[in-house]
Amino acid sequence: MKKTENNSDSGFFFTFKKYRSLLIELTRKNIKLKYRDSFLGILWSFVQPLLNMIVLSVVFTSIFGRKGDGIICYPIFLFSGRLLFEFFTTGTKAALNSFRVNAPIIKKVYVPKYMYPVSAILSTFVTLGLSFLCFICVWIFFKLTNISNGGTMPLNWHMLLVFVPICILLILVVGVGFILAVLQVYFRDIQYIWDVLCTLLFYMVPIIYDASTIKSEWTQALIRINPLTHIITLFRQCVVDCKPMDINMILYSLAWALASLLIGLFIFNKKNDDLIYHM
């Protein structure tokens, strides 16, 4: 028989320490399941972003004749944007399906429900960390070989601040993930709608192009209002340009991230006790 839950989930900040071991195990399980039937296994965390960078670089430099528009090293520019955007999409999609996937367990065993979207996001965050190691190797390669003008990329202490945009992005993903996870329980079509939105979002974030090259004022406004634009730009300021991050961008993106987290927590707490009846 299902155990009756109370509102203790709403105070999950206070129960987080109690269930942290479970969170680690759930995260580990998600990583194992993701690569369970894969021949290369976790090595795909290195291979996939590398292949994406190579394909997109060839398409936009050789086929379309793109010269980089003044970008120091276009492959690294492309890799850095794609790396963060991939974490955003995979993290939010993993959180979106977390309640549905774990519904049989949720109905039988009492575990704070927030564990499932958070563990799903953390598993993709681990993948981001492994992909970031690949990014470092690729950065060193272009720096030493001077391919695509990579030798001109500066190297200084500003690179050490790369954790700032990554942490902001993690907060944003958790907030959006909570919102999507709850909505998915009530509206099954959210999964397909979010897939379409992520595809559109890919072209509305400066991943394959520099935002300064856009001439339309309306398009520039849409790009600049997106917090992902500022997070990716901050990341590139650390690892590509190696210059001080724009404090206004930090505050703007952080405000969006915290707002999404607060909204996500509010929606989750509001519907927490009702979720199990709609799974």
Side-chain angles (χ1 to χ4, degrees), residues 189-257:
D189 292 341
I190 288 295
Q191 177 180 352
Y192 309 108
I193 295 173
W194 187 243
D195 284 338
V196 174
L197 289 178
C198 285
T199 301
L200 294 175
L201 192 61
F202 177 80
Y203 297 100
M204 293 305 296
V205 176
I207 298 174
I208 59 178
Y209 59 87
D210 187 356
S212 62
T213 62
I214 303 299
K215 304 301 180 183
S216 171
E217 294 183 0
W218 284 103
T219 304
Q220 279 194 357
L222 288 175
I223 293 174
R224 290 174 179 171
I225 201 174
N226 191 331
L228 278 178
T229 297
H230 299 278
I231 293 173
I232 292 175
T233 300
L234 290 170
F235 184 80
R236 286 170 173 161
Q237 288 176 350
C238 293
V239 300
V240 181
D241 302 319
C242 288
K243 64 180 183 180
M245 289 183 291
D246 189 323
I247 186 63
N248 292 325
M249 286 188 180
I250 294 176
L251 295 176
Y252 181 82
S253 56
L254 182 60
W256 267 92

Side-chain angles (χ1 to χ4, degrees), residues 48-222:
Q48 184 180 13
L50 182 61
L51 292 178
N52 285 333
M53 183 206 69
I54 293 174
V55 171
L56 291 176
S57 294
V58 170
V59 169
F60 288 98
T61 57
S62 300
I63 299 179
F64 292 155
R66 186 183 181 89
K67 300 301 182 182
D69 298 325
I71 298 171
I72 295 178
C73 181
Y74 184 69
I76 295 297
F77 176 90
L78 181 62
F79 198 163
S80 59
R82 179 69 184 178
L83 187 68
L84 296 194
F85 184 80
E86 186 71 16
F87 170 60
F88 176 80
T89 55
T90 56
T92 53
K93 289 178 181 179
L96 183 150
N97 291 305
S98 59
F99 289 145
R100 285 289 179 187
V101 170
N102 295 283
I105 301 177
I106 294 175
K107 292 178 180 180
K108 295 179 180 179
V109 181
Y110 172 73
V111 173
K113 299 185 191 72
Y114 70 85
M115 284 287 177
Y116 297 103
V118 171
S119 63
I121 293 171
L122 288 181
S123 64
T124 60
F125 189 70
V126 172
T127 302
L128 171 66
L130 296 173
S131 299
F132 186 71
L133 293 177
C134 177
F135 174 81
I136 294 175
C137 295
V138 173
W139 190 96
I140 294 174
F141 171 79
F142 280 97
K143 176 69 175 179
L144 296 179
T145 61
N146 199 31
I147 296 176
S148 297
N149 205 30
T152 60
M153 290 189 296
L155 177 63
N156 56 50
W157 66 270
H158 291 295
M159 297 187 71
L160 300 177
L161 298 178
V162 70
F163 69 90
V164 174
I166 291 178
C167 289
I168 295 175
L169 179 60
L170 178 60
I171 297 173
L172 180 66
V173 171
V174 172
V176 175
F178 269 119
I179 297 172
L180 293 174
V182 174
L183 291 178
Q184 169 70 354
V185 173
Y186 297 93
F187 309 103
R188 303 285 183 90
D189 292 341
I190 288 295
Q191 177 180 352
Y192 309 108
I193 295 173
W194 187 243
D195 284 338
V196 174
L197 289 178
C198 285
T199 301
L200 294 175
L201 192 61
F202 177 80
Y203 297 100
M204 293 305 296
V205 176
I207 298 174
I208 59 178
Y209 59 87
D210 187 356
S212 62
T213 62
I214 303 299
K215 304 301 180 183
S216 171
E217 294 183 0
W218 284 103
T219 304
Q220 279 194 357
L222 288 175

